[in-house]
Amino acid sequence: MQRTPSLMLVLALVAVASTTRAQMIGGGGPASTDCWVTLSSMPSPNRPTSKPSYVQCADQDVTCGDQNPALGYCQFQAQLSLNTSTGFPLCAPTDAMGFNIPYSGPTNDDHPKHINDFEVLQQFGEGNMPLSSTDLDKLSGFKSIGVRLGVSLSGKPHFINTTLKLQPTVCTSGLLTDGKCPPGFAKDSDTFKFVCTAPVDMTGAKISPCSGIASTFQQIQEHIFDRKCSNMATCHGSADPAHDLCLKPICGARSAYTDLVGVTPHNFFASTDGLKRVDPTNLSNSLLWRKLKGGSLLNNTTFGTSAYGFRMPYHNPSADRARPKLTGGEIKLIEQWILAGAPQTGFIATTFSGACQ
């Protein structure tokens, strides 16, 4: 579906004009506390039809307000309000001491449940604590909330409808160390959903994730690295010294490809053993493959268990940083790419049905 600049401008103006009348919703808490923290969004909540309580849009659907032109990404606008004074007749504003959106503080930047876009809303809530019952309609301002569609490489590649949940809590007490409200204190805990559905073309047919993909490495970049490895700066989203492996398409003068193929890893034991981050045609000598598979492939007979570090995506259960593995299809695509010589351009020859070609 093509977007024209004039159409996008008109829709942007309509969206801005709608902010003054955006519907505020309570998020599903008890009616007696539902005004303590509320949400308004652009587009306004549109599901379910009978009583909208969350927002749903298809990727690429500008009529619904998707502001991200990239295929596979929806962008919404969301605003939180504390002690909303109108629209909730059964609720009275409160004195509050605690505010929390789970895993959204800076100490959770590398947590698998951390959502970068929620951090500014967490800072807004914390910055307004303690809150007096006379402090009404404290607004965060509209903030961008991005939702990445999942991509399945099982069978023919296809987008997976994806839901992002914003779950703020306002508590009349200070919070416990786990961010929860202590027992016996009143709270308003809500869930606001942002749902991004698969894009369709003008005929209603689903658009393939392979649309615009010009090489196997580009597919790995867009379908795997961008979604699961470099989507947070604290992981491989920059070329900072903490990792020195950037898996974004552009990392200053470097790129994910130049940071991977033929490069000696910084892990002392892996480099001592002669491994490369990616050794073209050689799976067992490619640290990337070993890190993605995990288990005994991270061990070394000389240097011991886990000599090559943690499995990736970063999986360290002892630090509450346990991420799921890549799917079998995702690992298979990377395996076949390495075995084919890890080319930067062009499609590799493969019978793997999840590969674009």
Side-chain angles (χ1 to χ4, degrees), residues 333-345:
L333 181 62
I334 292 174
E335 284 178 345
Q336 295 203 352
W337 170 72
I338 293 174
L339 289 171
Q344 186 171 12
T345 60

Side-chain angles (χ1 to χ4, degrees), residues 263-305:
V263 177
T264 300
H266 280 193
N267 179 286
F268 172 79
F269 303 121
S271 63
T272 300
D273 287 339
L275 271 61
K276 301 295 183 182
R277 286 174 174 167
V278 168
D279 190 354
T281 74
N282 192 337
L283 276 182
S284 63
N285 206 51
S286 296
L287 182 60
L288 173 67
W289 176 73
R290 288 175 173 267
K291 299 280 273 188
L292 295 180
K293 296 285 284 187
S296 61
L297 290 172
L298 298 176
N299 302 340
N300 176 277
T301 54
T302 302
F303 302 119
T305 302

Side-chain angles (χ1 to χ4, degrees), residues 17-348:
S18 69
T19 62
T20 58
R21 60 179 184 273
Q23 175 190 357
M24 286 190 175
I25 58 174
S32 59
T33 64
D34 230 8
C35 67
W36 295 1
V37 57
T38 64
L39 174 91
S40 50
S41 65
M42 294 187 293
S44 292
N46 53 20
R47 293 290 190 280
T49 305
S50 58
K51 188 178 180 181
S53 61
Y54 64 93
V55 59
Q56 175 177 310
C57 286
D59 174 35
Q60 305 292 295
D61 184 0
V62 293
T63 64
C64 189
D66 178 21
Q67 300 172 28
N68 190 333
L71 184 65
Y73 297 81
C74 291
Q75 184 173 325
F76 303 93
Q77 297 289 317
Q79 175 174 253
L80 291 183
S81 173
L82 302 176
N83 276 347
T84 303
S85 61
T86 58
F88 298 87
L90 300 180
C91 176
T94 188
D95 295 330
M97 295 289 292
F99 177 91
N100 185 52
I101 299 172
Y103 308 105
S104 293
T107 59
N108 287 284
D109 280 352
D110 65 347
H111 196 281
K113 295 182 180 179
H114 181 84
I115 305 298
N116 288 348
D117 290 346
F118 290 171
E119 192 159 330
V120 65
L121 298 175
Q122 173 69 26
Q123 292 169 349
F124 156 76
E126 287 182 339
N128 280 281
M129 296 293 136
L131 182 72
S132 168
S133 60
T134 59
D135 293 328
L136 305 177
D137 302 310
K138 307 291 289 187
L139 301 175
S140 67
F142 280 89
K143 310 299 180 184
S144 292
I145 305 294
V147 182
R148 297 183 303 274
L149 281 173
V151 176
S152 174
L153 301 184
S154 175
K156 188 175 180 180
H158 57 280
F159 286 117
I160 304 170
N161 294 349
T162 303
T163 298
L164 191 63
K165 294 181 180 180
L166 173 61
Q167 298 178 301
T169 292
V170 168
C171 180
T172 55
S173 165
L175 303 176
L176 300 174
T177 55
D178 61 2
K180 295 181 180 180
C181 189
F185 288 89
K187 65 179 180 179
D188 181 31
S189 295
D190 293 322
T191 298
F192 306 117
K193 295 191 297 184
F194 302 89
V195 183
C196 183
T197 61
V200 296
D201 62 20
M202 297 294 291
T203 68
K206 290 185 177 180
I207 299 175
S208 169
C210 291
S211 176
I213 298 293
S215 70
T216 299
F217 182 73
Q218 183 185 358
Q219 182 184 7
I220 291 171
Q221 179 72 66
E222 294 191 9
H223 293 174
I224 303 174
F225 292 166
D226 289 352
R227 281 174 164 76
K228 296 187 174 181
C229 306
S230 65
N231 53 310
M232 293 192 295
T234 51
C235 292
H236 295 289
S238 66
D240 62 29
H243 299 283
D244 200 39
L245 169 59
C246 181
L247 292 180
K248 283 187 172 295
I250 298 175
C251 315
R254 296 151 51 189
S255 68
Y257 189 85
T258 61
D259 267 16
L260 282 173
V261 179
V263 177
T264 300
H266 280 193
N267 179 286
F268 172 79
F269 303 121
S271 63
T272 300
D273 287 339
L275 271 61
K276 301 295 183 182
R277 286 174 174 167
V278 168
D279 190 354
T281 74
N282 192 337
L283 276 182
S284 63
N285 206 51
S286 296
L287 182 60
L288 173 67
W289 176 73
R290 288 175 173 267
K291 299 280 273 188
L292 295 180
K293 296 285 284 187
S296 61
L297 290 172
L298 298 176
N299 302 340
N300 176 277
T301 54
T302 302
F303 302 119
T305 302
S306 300
Y308 301 151
F310 294 107
R311 199 206 77 214
M312 293 292 163
Y314 180 44
H315 184 87
N316 181 8
S318 64
D320 186 30
R321 299 294 188 270
R323 293 177 184 270
K325 285 186 176 182
L326 295 186
T327 67
E330 291 167 335
I331 293 176
K332 188 71 173 178
L333 181 62
I334 292 174
E335 284 178 345
Q336 295 203 352
W337 170 72
I338 293 174
L339 289 171
Q344 186 171 12
T345 60
F347 291 104
I348 62 172

